[in-house]
Amino acid sequence: MTTICSFDCNQSALKSLIGDKKPVAPVEGVWTNVSARVFEDQVRKLAYGLMVKDFRRGDTLVFTGCTDEMKTFINAACSLAHLNAEFTAQADGLNIVPVTELEYLMSIGGTWSRKYKASVDRTIARLILGC
């Protein structure tokens, strides 16, 4: 995978996305502290998966059943997909994403990465430039 600039080569992009929080991501179904590179790879997969689901730019997604450690990861993916994340124990209505769907979204995101990669690369470049 070729990227414009990965989180490894520019920590400011990662810092822009997650602030001072630790990069925690699901690896083989287990949420764990990860390197900036693994965090980026996993966040991209979720962002691509959200883009595949055809949510509109600026939509708010309500994520249910999330732990605190998941929120930073989900917020980062939503930022790259130009979506807003809200968190609650349970919700009714449109755009609800149960935490149990994250693995599926990342799976389809990995499959569709080629289609959405350029969009996410541009978003990361804007983060780096502060636009």
Side-chain angles (χ1 to χ4, degrees):
M1 168 173 37
T2 305
T3 59
I4 290 174
C5 185
S6 72
F7 293 149
D8 278 340
C9 77
N10 195 325
Q11 291 294 319
S12 65
L14 179 61
K15 188 159 181 64
S16 294
L17 271 176
I18 68 172
D20 293 329
K21 297 181 175 128
K22 293 185 181 202
V24 176
V27 178
E28 296 179 12
V30 178
W31 288 83
T32 185
N33 290 332
V34 295
S35 68
R37 169 49 87 192
V38 172
F39 186 83
E40 177 186 4
D41 289 344
Q42 298 298 80
V43 163
R44 280 177 175 272
K45 286 178 186 175
L46 181 55
Y48 300 149
L50 293 169
M51 294 167 103
V52 168
K53 293 298 271 184
D54 231 5
F55 295 113
R56 295 192 184 273
R57 184 183 198 110
D59 277 356
T60 297
L61 306 182
V62 178
F63 291 86
T64 60
C66 299
T67 64
D68 286 338
E69 69 180 0
M70 296 174 180
K71 292 177 183 178
T72 300
F73 177 80
I74 293 167
N75 272 322
C78 284
S79 293
L80 294 180
H82 299 281
L83 300 166
N84 303 306
E86 286 186 10
F87 302 95
T88 185
Q90 54 186 350
D92 294 323
L94 300 174
N95 298 339
I96 297 171
V97 182
V99 72
T100 55
E101 285 189 26
L102 293 182
E103 198 170 317
Y104 167 71
L105 289 169
M106 291 172 69
S107 173
I108 62 172
T111 302
W112 285 88
S113 61
R114 196 175 256 179
K115 179 175 181 177
Y116 297 106
K117 183 183 176 313
S119 175
V120 170
D121 284 347
R122 283 191 300 274
T123 302
I124 290 172
R126 286 186 187 116
L127 283 171
I128 293 166
L129 297 172
C131 301

